[in-house]
Amino acid sequence: MDIKKLRDEALKELLGAKNLEELEKLEIKYLGRKGVLTDVLKQLKEMTAEMRGKIGAAANQLKHELGSTFERRKKEIKAALDNKKEWVDVSAPGHKLIRGHLNPRTLVLRKVEEIFLSLGFSVIDSTEMESDYYNFQALNFPKDHPARDMQDTFYLTDELLMRTQTSPNQVRFMEHHNPPLRVIVPGKVFRRDASDATHESQFYQVEGLMVDKHISIGNFKAVIEEFFKRLFGKEVKMRLRPSYFPFTEPSFEPDISCTFCEGKGCRVCKGTGWLEMAGAGMVHPFVFKSAGYSPYEWQGFAFGFGLDRLVMMKYRINDMRLLNFGDLRFLKQF
Ligand SMILES: [Zn+2]
């Protein structure tokens, strides 16, 4: 019975154990009820008294030594595991944060504001709830005016409503500011329209107003052509079609050459080569009077774009409703 050899083997295996499972197996192998060392101690009975004393002492000593070595190794392995958990590799690449981004409507609005700011316009905030007076009466829509029918309105009370256009801000702004002035007023407007690919009950307009002495349709054309050129990043042709709005005289609707087919005619422009973009006109003397300006002294033009329409044109989106849904498959494309 070579206790020394047994000791060397056991310690070698024990110190080589890499984890707690290996260590446990070894513990059973050497110190378990049917383990190697237990076996040795059982054999003592069959030995002579002299051998029993000698080997028995050595075997018991080894049993203690292995026992304490097992305990020590267990602690060491556990400590190593704990350290591993807290260890941070500062040189490893970080987890990428998933960032959202702006709705295409916001992207276009920012571009619109940037262009008009560079042309000397200010951007004005406004309210979505409006009075009948500013939304209609001050703009030359008396109570029974048939043009009110074109703007099916959400009334909150007899006098309060959700604005059907951003135009009430013409009079609101002029009441508190002296000319000359140039402003745009972007914002949400509301109409009782059924929802389809090109209509929503809530949509965005960008109102524009420029007032000065000697303002003509020529000024309007210059500003708007420059605006479209910068927004779409290419030359566009413009034409003015006569139209009617109670608060402008004369009134017109600017069309621009189709940005899809360069004016040749396509599905988007319904073969005409032109796209309707806005309502516009020279500010009606009635509106100047509402604001307390003298129509003999001041002139100006006003316009209102559908912002959603600009977004659809710029990004070639064929359904306006997509702008209002939070569908990530759509929104992630911009
Ligand atoms: Zn076209």
Coordinates of all heavy atoms in Angstrom, one line a residue, residues 258 260-261 265-266 268-269 273, ligand 1:
C258 N -44.8 68.9 -62.7 CA -44.8 67.6 -62.0 C -43.3 67.2 -61.7 O -42.5 67.1 -62.6 CB -45.5 66.5 -62.8 SG -45.5 64.9 -62.0
F260 N -42.4 64.3 -60.8 CA -42.2 62.9 -61.1 C -41.8 62.8 -62.5 O -40.9 62.0 -62.9 CB -43.4 62.1 -60.8 CG -43.7 62.0 -59.3 CD1 -44.5 63.0 -58.7 CD2 -43.3 61.0 -58.6 CE1 -44.7 62.9 -57.3 CE2 -43.5 60.9 -57.2 CZ -44.3 61.9 -56.6
C261 N -42.5 63.5 -63.4 CA -42.3 63.3 -64.9 C -41.7 64.5 -65.6 O -41.7 64.5 -66.8 CB -43.6 62.9 -65.5 SG -44.9 64.2 -65.4
G265 N -46.2 64.3 -68.1 CA -47.5 63.7 -67.9 C -47.4 62.3 -67.4 O -46.7 61.5 -68.0
C266 N -47.9 62.0 -66.2 CA -47.8 60.7 -65.6 C -49.0 60.4 -64.7 O -49.9 61.2 -64.7 CB -46.5 60.6 -64.8 SG -46.5 61.6 -63.3
V268 N -49.2 60.4 -61.5 CA -49.3 61.2 -60.3 C -50.0 62.6 -60.7 O -50.9 63.1 -60.0 CB -47.9 61.5 -59.7 CG1 -48.1 62.5 -58.5 CG2 -47.3 60.2 -59.3
C269 N -49.6 63.1 -61.8 CA -50.2 64.4 -62.2 C -51.4 64.2 -63.1 O -51.9 65.1 -63.8 CB -49.2 65.3 -62.9 SG -48.4 64.5 -64.4
G273 N -49.1 67.0 -66.3 CA -47.8 67.6 -66.2 C -47.7 68.6 -65.1 O -46.7 69.2 -64.8
Ligands
ZN1 ZN -46.3 63.8 -63.7

